[in-house]
Amino acid sequence: MTTRTQKSEGSMSTPTLAPHQDAPTGHKTTEDRLGAGLFDPTQLAESLPDAFRKLDPRVMVKSPVMFVVLVGSILTTVFSFTEPGDWFGWTISAWLWLTVIFANLAEAVAEGRGRAQADTLRKAKTDTIARRLLPDGTEERVPGTELKVGDLVVCEAGDAIPGDGDVVEGVASVDESAITGESAPVIRESGGDRSAVTGGTKVLSDRIVTKITTKPGETFIDRMINLVEGAARQKTPNEIALNILLASLTIVFLLAVATLPPFAEHAGSHLSMVVLVALLVCLIPTTIGALLSAIGIAGMDRLVQRNVLAMSGRAVEAAGDVSTLLLDKTGTITLGNRQASEFLPVHGATEAEVADAAQLSSLADETPEGRSIVVLAKEKYGLRERHQGELVGAEWIEFTAQTRMSGADIDGMKIRKGAAGSVIAWVKERGGWVAEDAETVASRISEAGGTPLLVAVEDADGARVLGVIHLKDVVKDGMRERFEELRRMGIKTIMITGDNPVTAKAIAEEAGVDDFLAEATPEDKMALIKREQAGGKLVAMTGDGTNDAPALAQADVGVAMNTGTSAAKEAGNMVDLDSNPTKLIEIIEIGKQLLITRGALTTFSIANDVAKYFAIIPALFAAAYPGLDKLNIMGLSSPDSAILSAVIFNALIIIALVPLSLKGVRYRPVSADRMLRRNLTVYGLGGLVAPFIGIKIIDLLISFIPGIG
């Protein structure tokens, strides 16, 4: 059986990442800019130079579609110089350059949204002097940049932790606000699942010895800076596949446009290079080609806004395709702190006797459960809360994981409280007896999803069980509804717990999960994940302990808690800075939103291209082939007007869709077929209709310009 550490440090709310808090007075925070989108003047001013720097062909070639537009812009500019008086050629060239710049601006804005975060994180990277512990027990002061993996460093109150590591000695209160934005300090201690510390955080009290686990320049903060700036973002498999598709379509349209001049010559018409380039740019999928990178960057940025650090874009995409979700019971599905709810007497004992014995046996139990028993006896049964110092001569038995009992020996009377099996064994060892209804009551509590603790006493009348304490682990509000949403999304939920199968089943039914794994060991978790993956499913899970590391590494999406061990954080491909296990549900929604946004804008872009055929081709060849005039349903003024209107619309639609690509298409938990129908209706039909309206409006505006109308 695996005992999981409570996620008591994880806040149910999502505090903003620290960089948002430290914005200088008079400046807009990243949150403000997120709301303002592309049209925030400050954001535009900061991103515009980057948009021009990205015109470097070595950068542009990474996006085949926009590279073709760049080459086309250069060609039209060159041909315009050969005919300086051709106002139409210069206008087409200008709008083609704007198309490229708008595409680069979309990516620059997406990258720029992480700069405020990165700048503040850099401030957290102070050049600290570390107190390195030598083998003989003495200390030497060295720059933090000289620390090596395996070095032991001493940190006391007021010291900045010089590098990432694990606490190997001591316990201390640590300020992690520079990383999480959460002002409340956290406890870091040796052993257990709360031993990891991050370089740049500050020790507030006590003394700890930390073992360094990362090299300088590869710390958690360094990785955060690279990721929020987009410097370490690599294209995902889906993004690469879509790029290949867009490149293939571009080649097809390039060949198609190359065949048009002979047709035009045969019909007694002539198509200039400027017209051919403009036609090509309007027909290739420039909209999605321009926004593709921004969509991926924005997806990771949305995770950062929720204090989740994704180690790669691949992990964000995988979250969108997850079909099996593994959730820890304690702290995720339930509140985590089991509380005493009632005292149930057995075989002639009274509630008052059980309450009195339960309180006395819990005075030495410092667990949350033990404290709740003392409080319940005081509040519900009127027993004054007593303290160990008041009972002279008493011998206190502290709770341990081995005995699973606590108690007290007072005036010749022994009182014990603990797990049913341990207390029954203790009573029988002393020749006592256990009332039949004790086990019946305990079983009833377990079946109801609670945890039974038995209270026993040994006095002049012998050893016997007095009653049962009912501990309840309350399912969080709204969990059943959340799981129902996940079910509609086609995601299977599995609860993992160290509880016995009876208790696990009751909690699973109350919460509404699809399945559960009781008395789970690390091996059990690994086997479950492999079994699901063998069926072709993608699996996501959360974890915080070293014993979770193998399963986190095996899962397709492994979310490690920031409060957890270094092993867990290294094994996972995401880190939740708030250490809130329920965040996994939000991560999946963000991943799905990323995939939906990319699919929706791809649908819109391709539909745009189809509509532009009807705008350009009929107007271009109507004079040569009068039959095509029937397809000129927009009634565009002239061939030149049709081409210029399409080029202008092609550039403006990119800038219009940037806010949507950054914010993401709204996600709704519906089935895949309903989602497909919605995307085809909204973005497919919208992509067909928008060019007809937009190009016609632009045509009406420019039809009065001499030489074009």
Side-chain angles (χ1 to χ4, degrees), residues 65-115:
V65 176
M66 298 315 300
F67 181 72
V68 169
V69 180
L70 175 66
V71 173
S73 304
I74 295 172
L75 287 176
T76 55
T77 304
V78 170
F79 280 101
S80 295
F81 272 109
T82 60
E83 298 183 36
D86 184 8
W87 189 91
F88 174 77
W90 283 110
T91 306
I92 291 290
S93 297
W95 278 102
L96 291 182
W97 280 110
L98 285 175
T99 302
V100 180
I101 292 171
F102 288 164
N104 289 345
L105 191 61
E107 184 175 357
V109 169
E111 293 174 347
R113 290 172 13 154
R115 287 206 180 97

Side-chain angles (χ1 to χ4, degrees), residues 353-403:
E353 289 176 329
V354 178
D356 184 60
Q359 187 185 66
L360 286 172
S361 62
S362 300
L363 293 179
D365 184 359
E366 295 297 333
T367 64
E369 294 87 350
R371 295 297 89 204
S372 73
I373 292 170
V374 174
V375 171
L376 179 65
K378 173 186 176 183
E379 293 180 349
K380 188 173 181 179
Y381 297 94
L383 294 177
R384 181 178 62 84
E385 183 176 351
R386 290 162 288 187
H387 301 280
Q388 297 180 31
E390 298 179 21
L391 302 172
V392 180
E395 181 180 347
W396 302 100
I397 312 299
E398 296 184 359
F399 176 86
T400 66
Q402 289 73 32
T403 64

Side-chain angles (χ1 to χ4, degrees), residues 490-507:
I491 297 175
K492 177 183 178 182
T493 53
I494 302 177
M495 181 185 77
I496 301 176
T497 177
D499 288 341
N500 62 73
V502 175
T503 302
K505 181 180 179 182
I507 293 291

Side-chain angles (χ1 to χ4, degrees), residues 17-25 27 29 116 120-121 123 177-178 181:
L17 197 64
H20 297 192
Q21 299 178 341
D22 298 328
T25 304
H27 289 72
T29 64
T120 304
L121 287 170
K123 294 176 184 177
S177 59

Side-chain angles (χ1 to χ4, degrees), residues 77-254:
T77 304
V78 170
F79 280 101
S80 295
F81 272 109
T82 60
E83 298 183 36
D86 184 8
W87 189 91
F88 174 77
W90 283 110
T91 306
I92 291 290
S93 297
W95 278 102
L96 291 182
W97 280 110
L98 285 175
T99 302
V100 180
I101 292 171
F102 288 164
N104 289 345
L105 191 61
E107 184 175 357
V109 169
E111 293 174 347
R113 290 172 13 154
R115 287 206 180 97
Q117 297 163 335
D119 290 343
T120 304
L121 287 170
R122 284 193 180 92
K123 294 176 184 177
K125 285 187 58 180
T126 55
D127 294 328
T128 56
I129 298 297
R131 297 162 55 187
R132 184 160 57 189
L133 195 62
L134 300 177
D136 60 4
T138 60
E139 299 177 9
E140 65 171 346
R141 302 180 74 85
V142 297
T145 53
E146 293 184 9
L147 292 175
K148 301 176 182 177
V149 175
D151 283 349
L152 298 178
V153 295
V154 177
C155 295
E156 293 181 322
D159 291 344
I161 296 175
D164 294 358
D166 287 323
V167 178
V168 295
E169 180 184 319
V171 57
S173 175
V174 179
D175 176 11
E176 293 188 343
S177 59
I179 306 297
T180 66
E182 179 60 58
S183 58
V186 296
I187 300 299
R188 292 291 175 262
E189 57 189 341
S190 59
D193 296 341
R194 288 188 285 183
S195 60
V197 291
T198 306
T201 57
K202 187 176 181 180
V203 176
L204 299 179
S205 68
D206 303 295
R207 175 185 185 274
I208 53 174
V209 177
T210 301
K211 183 178 182 180
I212 300 297
T213 57
T214 57
K215 300 176 182 177
E218 298 179 5
T219 64
F220 190 72
I221 290 183
D222 289 315
R223 285 184 290 167
M224 283 186 69
I225 291 171
N226 287 333
L227 287 165
V228 299
E229 285 188 320
R233 197 191 82 86
Q234 297 179 342
K235 290 184 177 178
T236 63
N238 285 346
E239 198 172 343
I240 293 172
L242 185 54
N243 263 317
I244 293 173
L245 173 63
L246 298 180
S248 302
L249 289 174
T250 302
I251 293 172
V252 169
F253 286 123
L254 183 61

